[in-house]
Amino acid sequence: MTKTPQHRGSLTIGDIARRTGLSVSAIRFYEDKGLVHPIRSAGGQRRFLRSDIRRLSFLLIAQQMGLSIADIGQALADLPKDEAPSKEDWSRIATAVQGLIDEHIATLERTRERLSGCIGCGCLSLKACALYNPQDRAGKKGPGPQHILKSPNSDADRRLI
């Protein structure tokens, strides 16, 4: 195959898989979700830019931190698709993602604080616990672990604690 300028220095999907630790099928999945944009060779083979290693690495880290594929896709949407992102591009993404990370940190901190308090109480029931949920007030807010996953932003939320 003759290398055209857009293919020079590019990597195969196998190269990217070895470098990132991802399976080939995972890379294809991320491509289907629009998170990576390989170039197609004249023979139809996927060819990746070296910068796609960083894009996929960011994706792996973001998923480990609890960000959804949709959140990651939104963060990556403004990166150039056919060239390596600049330092400014990555700085912009870092700023955009920081709020999501802060939300996840707050949820983790609430989980740590409230679960250890409940375990210390001994009842092990957020539904029956008189300390955290008298008269099952959290149940009136909706399903799920209201005290842990919902941010106590309003006065009503603070009264439930």
Side-chain angles (χ1 to χ4, degrees):
M1 173 176 106
T2 307
K3 290 187 178 182
T4 62
Q6 67 179 2
H7 289 64
R8 191 169 293 134
S10 63
L11 303 168
T12 66
I13 195 167
D15 294 335
I16 289 285
R18 280 186 290 283
R19 180 60 181 85
T20 62
L22 288 165
S23 67
V24 168
S25 61
I27 295 167
R28 287 186 189 124
F29 170 79
Y30 294 135
E31 178 187 1
D32 288 343
K33 295 294 180 184
L35 301 173
V36 289
H37 308 278
I39 302 161
R40 293 292 180 153
S41 70
Q45 292 180 327
R46 290 171 177 85
R47 304 297 290 185
F48 292 85
L49 300 174
R50 289 199 167 279
S51 60
D52 287 323
I53 295 170
R54 182 171 289 164
R55 187 184 298 259
L56 288 165
S57 296
F58 168 79
L59 193 151
L60 289 170
I61 293 165
Q63 280 189 298
Q64 290 265 331
M65 293 177 8
L67 273 66
S68 69
I69 293 289
D71 290 337
I72 296 166
Q74 187 174 4
L76 293 175
D78 290 336
L79 287 181
K81 294 170 180 42
D82 56 352
E83 62 184 50
S86 67
K87 182 177 178 181
E88 291 78 25
D89 291 327
W90 284 112
S91 292
R92 198 172 53 253
I93 290 211
T95 300
V97 172
Q98 187 167 354
L100 294 171
I101 293 169
D102 289 344
E103 288 175 25
H104 285 281
I105 289 170
T107 299
L108 289 169
E109 287 174 343
R110 283 192 304 275
T111 301
R112 180 185 61 220
E113 292 164 10
R114 293 183 182 158
L115 282 180
S116 59
C118 188
I119 291 168
C121 165
C123 75
L124 298 177
S125 169
L126 290 177
K127 182 174 183 179
C129 183
L131 175 65
Y132 282 116
N133 191 21
Q135 290 86 43
D136 190 24
R137 284 190 238 159
K140 294 176 181 82
K141 299 287 289 179
Q146 296 292 315
H147 293 299
I148 303 297
L149 296 180
K150 306 298 189 247
S151 176
N153 291 330
S154 70
D155 289 338
D157 287 337
R158 279 193 273 283
R159 285 194 303 271
L160 293 176
I161 298 173

